[in-house]
Amino acid sequence: MSAKSNYLEKAVLDHFLGTSSTTAPSNVYLSLYTSNPDEDDSGNELSGNGYTRKAVSFAAATSGAGSTTGPTSDTEFTASGGNWGTITHFGLHDGATEGGSPDNLLYFGALSEDKLIENGDTLKFAANSITITEA
């Protein structure tokens, strides 16, 4: 289950209603949060202790159903040098780093269960474990 950010909602409306155009990001990055990022990306994204966003790919959307799955391969995050705490949410961004350019949240969602990640622990997203649906 995922939700669309305010940024992406506006970009889609503006693009498809002809008030401005937008291009797809060259890469999409999976991010981790210790609180809900919500539509305005106000959550607490991880930083430090070996954390970096991971570039991911998604399958083409299915016709008629309006959904896609990804990442297309297993994606792992490993804490090194300290604990990360409890991970509750993920995000998909158009930029590789928080505060970089670009750095827009596209989609976000809650993990199926919260995960406590301590130094040396790995959080793995199996291939096709995230489903993005447009209703």
Side-chain angles (χ1 to χ4, degrees):
M1 179 68 181
S2 63
K4 193 183 304 179
S5 70
N6 290 340
Y7 164 82
L8 187 56
E9 289 171 348
K10 181 182 181 324
V12 168
L13 285 171
D14 286 349
H15 180 79
F16 285 99
L17 297 177
T19 61
S20 69
S21 65
T22 188
T23 57
S26 55
N27 290 298
V28 174
Y29 298 89
L30 183 58
S31 58
L32 303 177
Y33 288 81
T34 58
S35 64
N36 186 354
D38 213 351
E39 293 180 3
D40 62 355
D41 198 11
S42 59
N44 184 34
E45 184 178 354
L46 287 180
S47 65
N49 297 325
Y51 169 75
T52 59
R53 293 178 182 174
K54 305 289 182 177
V56 293
S57 298
F58 278 75
T62 55
S63 178
S67 67
T68 183
T69 58
T72 55
S73 61
D74 292 352
T75 304
E76 296 183 348
F77 295 86
T78 302
S80 63
N83 301 335
W84 286 350
T86 301
I87 310 306
T88 62
H89 290 77
F90 70 89
L92 296 172
H93 289 262
D94 62 0
T97 57
E98 185 175 12
S101 182
D103 179 29
N104 299 297
L105 178 66
L106 305 173
Y107 292 96
F108 64 97
L111 300 184
S112 57
E113 61 182 68
D114 296 352
K115 304 285 185 187
L116 175 63
I117 304 296
E118 296 180 332
N119 190 31
D121 291 345
T122 297
L123 176 60
K124 177 181 174 181
F125 286 79
N128 301 315
S129 61
I130 299 172
T131 300
I132 306 294
T133 302
E134 292 289 336

